[in-house]
């Protein structure tokens, strides 16, 4: 017996026990409402999605071809439509997640207005967006089930038993739109206690996976901008521990932590690490500092010095009171960050790079895997990269290495449309197409995400619409470019009243008031034009 049938039976027993005062209650209507509200709290969501993510991680360890993907979201509707689209085209949400980007919250969700990605936005907005995303995903469940329930009623009324069985099977085997969200907590928005408190709010809202980076919280920068400042490992590990405690306190025992290192592009530190003996973690961190050896006589007022193996070393301090690392140490620091994080509570790593290059990523992950064999990477397929130019240049360089004639190309101008139909461009596009597959097979990438896709798609589609609408196209710009495409491609939002819950409300009204219900979906509803 299915869960749906069990609920009908259980509510029927409750109704009988309650007596005549429950005579208006229809057990099947209750079962339908229960099916449409499978997840009662954010913690229900977090526990459910954490189990999914752990299963996917284990499957990737066994077979690197089964990597996972996600797209960044800045609104619940955006996340909902992505999952509806995935179910429509790919028939399953398996291995497809959502990503919550701190960049998008800063740029699009702050009461201050658009902000750079520097942790200046309200930290409460992070948990609020997680809750909003899952509210919309749960509503997508309710809407799709509502359509199935209506179809079941129609099949019953027509006496079509085969159709009834088919629809009942779809109800019994319904796949939820609720999927894991990898949620960005930036650098923790403060000290470890602040990180713990925010992590709790995020988990209570439904987060099963929290991504945290090793930058200084009050100096945080976007991973693809300059001026990044990292913290000593002990400080970062304390925040990883804070997130783990938050998961465990709330009973999400298999919650996932992604430790992000920005060290590849971060040349600065605010602190010299505490070290107790040569070779310890603090000493390893300090060993990357750009220092000059001095004598005691060369000490100036206010100098900071390090005593290493009997030598006095003076780290180079900038006017900002920050210390700089030696040039060319970024990759070594990334590897140390990754190993240290994985050995001290993190489940996966995120290495922020300056370009999408499988070879570069693989070189670092291979070194990490020498120490942590099952190390897995979450990788940002970032819109901050010029993918076209980067891959065309990679192919150009490969041509040069192979001795091919590249006289027809200007390496600095390979983005130009004049190269679009060339052999070089076609090879580059194929490498872009297979980048995720290749990165997962060869560079340990478990999860591929795009941080800001809908920021860019919203801007592009709005530009195309405005260009025609406010010029000479008028309504044709909308009808031809939007509505006609919605109808022909079967985009559910063409029936925007239904998407917003109008039909669900009609059915509820009928549950509550029977034939007296005043419903919106009658013959005069203009949404009927889209049947």
């Amino acid at each position: 017996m299915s869960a749906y049938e069990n609920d009908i039976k259980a509510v029927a027993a409750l109704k009988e026990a309650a007596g005549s005062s429950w005579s208006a209650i229809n057990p099947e209507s209750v079962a339908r409402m229960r099916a449409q509200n499978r997840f009662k709290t954010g913690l229900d969501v977090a526990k459910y999605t954490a189990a999914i993510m752990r299963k996917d991680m284990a499957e990737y360890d066994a077979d690197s071809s089964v990597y996972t993907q996600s797209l960044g979201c800045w609104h619940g509707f955006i996340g909902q439509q992505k999952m509806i689209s995935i179910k429509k085209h790919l028939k399953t949400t398996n291995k497809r997640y959502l990503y919550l980007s701190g960049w998008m919250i800063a740029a699009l969700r702050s009461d201050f207005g658009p902000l750079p990605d520097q942790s200046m936005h309200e930290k409460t907005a992070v948990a609020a967006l997680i809750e909003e995303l899952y509210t919309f995903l749960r509503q997508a469940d309710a809407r799709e089930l509502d359509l199935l329930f209506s179809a079941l009623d129609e099949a019953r009324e027509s006496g079509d038993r085969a159709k009834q069985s088919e629809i009942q099977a779809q109800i019994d085997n319904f796949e939820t739109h609720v999927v894991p969200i990898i949620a960005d907590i930036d650098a923790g928005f403060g000290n470890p206690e602040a990180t713990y408190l925010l992590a709790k709010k995020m988990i209570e809202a439904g987060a099963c996976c929290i991504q945290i980076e090793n930058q200084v919280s009050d100096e945080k920068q976007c991973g693809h901008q300059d001026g990044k400042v990292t913290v000593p490992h002990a400080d970062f590990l304390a925040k990883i521990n804070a997130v783990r405690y938050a998961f465990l306190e709330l009973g999400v025992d298999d919650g996932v932590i992604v430790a992000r290192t920005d060290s590849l592009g971060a040349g600065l530190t605010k602190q010299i690490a505490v070290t107790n003996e040569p070779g310890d973690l603090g000493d390893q961190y300090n060993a990357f500092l750009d220092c000059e050896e001095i004598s005691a006589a060369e000490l100036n007022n206010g100098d900071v010095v390090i005593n290493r193996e009997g030598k006095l070393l003076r780290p180079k301090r900038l006017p900002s009171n920050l210390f700089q690392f030696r040039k060319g140490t970024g990759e070594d620091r990334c590897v140390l960050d990754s190993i240290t994080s994985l050995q001290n509570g993190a489940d996966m790593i995120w290495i922020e790079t300056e370009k999408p290059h499988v070879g570069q990523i693989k070189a670092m992950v291979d070194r990490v895997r020498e120490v942590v064999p099952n190390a897995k990477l979450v990788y940002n397929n970032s819109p901050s990269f010029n993918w076209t130019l980067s891959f065309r240049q990679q192919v150009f360089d490969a041509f040069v290495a192979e001795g091919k004639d590249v006289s027809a190309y200007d390496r600095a101008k390979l983005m130009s449309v004049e190269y679009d139909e060339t052999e070089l461009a076609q090879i580059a596009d194929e490498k872009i197409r297979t980048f995720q597959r290749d990165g997962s097979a060869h560079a340990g990438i478990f999860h591929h995400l795009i941080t800001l896709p809908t920021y860019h798609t919203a801007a592009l589609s709005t530009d195309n619409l405005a260009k025609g609408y406010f010029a000479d196209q008028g309504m044709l710009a909308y009808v031809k470019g939007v509505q006609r495409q919605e109808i022909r491609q079967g985009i559910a939002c063409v029936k925007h009243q239904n998407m917003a819950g109008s039909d669900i409300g009609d059915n509820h009204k009928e549950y509550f008031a029977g034939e007296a219900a005043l419903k919106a979906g009658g013959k005069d509803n203009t949404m009927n034009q889209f049947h």
Side-chain angles (χ1 to χ4, degrees), residues 331-382:
E331 185 168 314
D332 290 339
R333 285 183 281 127
C334 277
V335 171
L336 181 61
D337 295 343
S338 300
I339 292 171
T340 302
S341 298
L342 291 170
Q343 290 177 329
N344 292 275
D347 300 291
M348 286 187 284
I349 53 176
W350 169 323
I351 300 175
E352 195 75 288
T353 65
E354 82 289 358
K355 61 181 179 293
H357 193 292
V358 172
Q360 178 195 39
I361 303 162
K362 181 181 186 302
M364 288 185 278
V365 173
D366 283 350
R367 292 175 61 189
V368 174
R369 285 184 158 181
E370 289 175 6
V371 181
V372 186
N374 70 335
K376 288 178 284 297
L377 188 66
V378 171
Y379 188 71
N380 179 7
N381 293 226
S382 177

Side-chain angles (χ1 to χ4, degrees), residues 189-211:
F189 286 88
N191 62 27
E193 174 69 5
T195 301
Y196 152 78
L197 292 171
L198 179 54
K200 276 183 64 176
K201 287 292 186 186
M202 293 168 68
I203 298 162
E204 287 169 340
C208 74
C209 178
I210 293 177
Q211 164 227 325

